[in-house]
Amino acid sequence: SFKCRRSSASPCKPQFICIYPAYLNNKKTIAEGRRIPIDKAVENPTSAEIQDVCAAVGFNVLLEKNKMYPREWNRDVQYRGRVRIQLKQDDGNPCLPQFPTRKSVMLYAAETIPKLKTRTQKIGSNDQSLQQGEGGKKGKGKKKK
């Protein structure tokens, strides 16, 4: 006969959830692993950014750098990593009342990552490089004519 692993007689281990960067990536489709709406997702989040955001709010966080999301075909370091977060305590109650579900944690992380200092600095440098790139493309177009 089948026995439930979570019987009241034996206490549960703290429930940790896994969050891979692909869950929050707006460059991914649902089939590729995105788990939140595309308008709330972030462009190429890293596991370190997810860890920073969740640790800052008070979660018990563990970063596993060498883990990979199974659906991720790109093996670059940028796409590696998994964040484990303790969502619930031993008694089954949420560790932080404002985050009762894994989806609430993912939405918070996606909302907060763009506000990180590393992100705001990167955006400024990316705009300049994009403008230079566009200028180069226009120059190439003129040469062809």
Side-chain angles (χ1 to χ4, degrees), residues 22 27-28 32 68-76 79:
K27 300 285 185 195
K28 301 273 180 205
E32 290 170 335
M68 294 256 343
Y69 186 54
R71 289 190 226 170
E72 180 60 63
W73 56 270
N74 194 333
R75 299 284 177 219
D76 287 350
Y79 297 102

Side-chain angles (χ1 to χ4, degrees), residues 13 20 45 52 54 60 63-64 70 78 96 101 107 125 132:
K13 289 182 179 178
Y20 290 96
D52 291 345
C54 293
N60 184 9
L63 175 63
E64 297 172 319
Q78 176 189 356
L96 297 175
T101 63
L107 289 169
S125 64
Q132 289 170 356

Side-chain angles (χ1 to χ4, degrees), residues 46-96:
T46 64
S47 52
E49 288 173 332
I50 298 168
Q51 180 202 19
D52 291 345
V53 165
C54 293
V57 82
F59 275 114
N60 184 9
V61 180
L62 177 69
L63 175 63
E64 297 172 319
K65 288 182 181 179
N66 290 323
K67 296 292 182 181
M68 294 256 343
Y69 186 54
R71 289 190 226 170
E72 180 60 63
W73 56 270
N74 194 333
R75 299 284 177 219
D76 287 350
V77 176
Q78 176 189 356
Y79 297 102
R80 282 191 191 175
R82 171 173 78 184
V83 181
R84 307 215 52 192
I85 299 168
Q86 185 180 355
L87 187 63
K88 295 185 179 177
Q89 298 167 347
D90 294 344
D91 58 3
N93 293 327
C95 291
L96 297 175

